[in-house]
Amino acid sequence: MSGQQSRADQSTFAELGLRARLFAQGALALLFAKGGDSFARLLHSPWRDDPYPIYAAMRAGGPLIRSKLGLLICTTHELCEEVLRDRRFGVLRSDGSYGDPTAAAVDLQLSLLELDPPDHTRIRRLAAPELRPRRMEKYRQRIEDIANELLDEAIERGSFDLVRDYASLLPIRVICDLLGLSQVDADRLGHHGLVVSGSLDGVRSTKQLRQMRESLNELDAMFARLIEQRRADPGDDVVSNLVTALDDDKITSTELVQLCNLLLVAGFETTVSMVGNGANALLNHPEQWDLLRADPGLAPAVVEEALRWDPPVQMTGRIAHEPVELAGRQLRKDTPVLVLLASAGRDPAKHEDPDRFDITREVQGEHLAFSSGSHYCLGAPLARIEGEVAFRCLATRVPDLRRAGPVVRRPTSVVRGLASFPAFPGKTVQRT
């Protein structure tokens, strides 16, 4: 009994310590934000509501700047891409630990996002064939059917929330098909995806941390059951194919469960925010919406411009695994560096007139919305198809789409997306 009490006391003290650390971090960031620190302002409203003027000011300070919070920050496309591709940088410290004790307390268990070579290379090689463009193309018709079904429901109601009823449900239903899950699980998966993806922005409270752990525990149990089901009765889905690697000892059961978690969270969050941000940009630029309505074949271009202009993932981190010279600075081993993906997308040295949203833009090289280098997003082919279908269906089925009220942004900085987008379908077109 005394041992149990001791463990309970230790857990309470650990939570109190984490709560104090989170409070101190938030208070310090807010203090610096009010004092004018650009990076600190990215973490708080009202500044983060439109971060792009802040990114421009940071680029003007040079390709590599230091925040008063002590973090080195890459601001230009060239330097961001250089760090992402440089194998001397990783996502963990050189000894394999987390650089931030708060991150260690969270331990998201999102597989590839939290691994460096050689484990990252091994698991990525197993997962990559399941997500290659040719395989993802097989899901295109199913994705179109789902998008049309969702719009049928919206049209019947006469109003809908573009995020809740369309952008969120589309990828969740696709993921259910991809992983061989019953559509009955869609709502619950959507809840867990939203909770866990919120952790990508960092933990702000112990309550949020408990919710994340509860969601991860439920997801772990669900995917563990799914793996055993696929082992006994394989199907034509990603998990069934990866079970073969599990039986061949190329991946552990824990790693496979974590990989399933990643497919859910990364595949969900990127698409929801991409569609929401892109639709918002189109309606804010009526001439661009008119172009898409007149030529729905521009949908792939909408995807790329939306990802460049207002990407779902605004920033990511890397840690130097050895002494490195970067933009004229000497970095010590284990120095963390923040990579501003969204700032890279608005860099005038890479993109002409970068603040202009233009779906007819001549592409001037790859944007960094899906990262780059060894951690380039494996789900990019699927996200692109989902986005293309989503925008094309909006343009062809609800060409008179308009807002029914103000959009509400999520209170996050790393992940930029909408929480609500009330809309009227207006004049509609029946699907052919």
Side-chain angles (χ1 to χ4, degrees), residues 211-398:
Q211 290 174 336
M212 291 176 190
R213 286 174 171 165
E214 288 171 2
S215 283
L216 280 172
N217 287 338
E218 190 168 332
L219 287 172
D220 286 350
M222 182 186 68
F223 286 129
R225 289 193 301 270
L226 179 66
I227 289 167
E228 290 308 310
Q229 290 169 3
R230 292 298 174 267
R231 174 177 276 145
D233 184 20
D236 184 22
D237 57 78
V238 170
V239 176
S240 293
N241 295 334
L242 287 173
V243 164
T244 302
L246 175 63
D247 291 338
D248 291 342
D249 293 326
K250 295 179 180 179
I251 189 172
T252 68
S253 57
T254 298
E255 288 172 337
L256 182 50
V257 167
Q258 292 175 357
L259 182 58
C260 289
N261 285 338
L262 174 64
L263 292 173
L264 168 64
V265 175
F268 171 76
E269 181 56 50
T270 303
T271 304
V272 175
S273 296
M274 173 181 61
V275 174
N277 292 350
N280 190 47
L282 286 167
L283 294 191
N284 281 339
H285 299 81
E287 76 287 354
Q288 301 298 309
W289 177 236
D290 289 343
L291 286 172
L292 179 62
R293 292 193 305 168
D295 181 8
L298 287 170
V302 175
V303 171
E304 301 307 319
E305 182 67 346
L307 288 169
R308 179 199 70 82
W309 195 76
D310 196 14
V313 181
Q314 297 269 296
M315 60 191 79
T316 189
R318 293 293 185 268
I319 299 176
H321 283 179
E322 60 184 74
V324 177
E325 181 179 343
L326 189 66
R329 289 179 182 256
Q330 294 294 330
L331 273 60
R332 296 180 179 179
K333 182 179 179 179
D334 288 329
T335 298
V337 176
L338 190 69
V339 179
L340 295 183
L341 306 175
S343 178
R346 298 283 188 104
D347 187 351
K350 182 67 175 180
H351 305 283
E352 184 179 351
D353 195 7
D355 291 325
R356 187 183 78 249
F357 180 73
D358 182 3
I359 65 174
T360 65
R361 177 183 298 276
E362 182 178 345
V363 178
Q364 296 169 297
E366 182 83 0
H367 53 70
L368 300 180
F370 289 121
S371 191
S372 188
S374 61
H375 279 270
Y376 184 83
C377 178
L378 274 178
L382 178 60
R384 282 186 160 112
I385 294 172
E386 289 175 324
E388 177 188 337
V389 169
F391 291 126
R392 189 175 66 250
C393 286
L394 285 175
T396 56
R397 298 293 312 284
V398 287

Side-chain angles (χ1 to χ4, degrees), residues 96-115:
S97 65
Y98 289 95
D100 181 355
T102 303
V106 177
D107 190 13
L108 296 180
Q109 305 168 32
L110 291 182
S111 184
L112 295 173
L113 292 184
E114 298 182 327
L115 291 177

Side-chain angles (χ1 to χ4, degrees), residues 147-167:
N148 277 304
E149 289 167 7
L150 294 173
L151 288 177
D152 285 342
E153 295 169 7
I155 290 169
E156 184 176 349
R157 287 194 303 271
S159 66
F160 69 116
D161 189 297
L162 192 142
V163 171
R164 185 190 64 234
D165 301 323
Y166 186 63

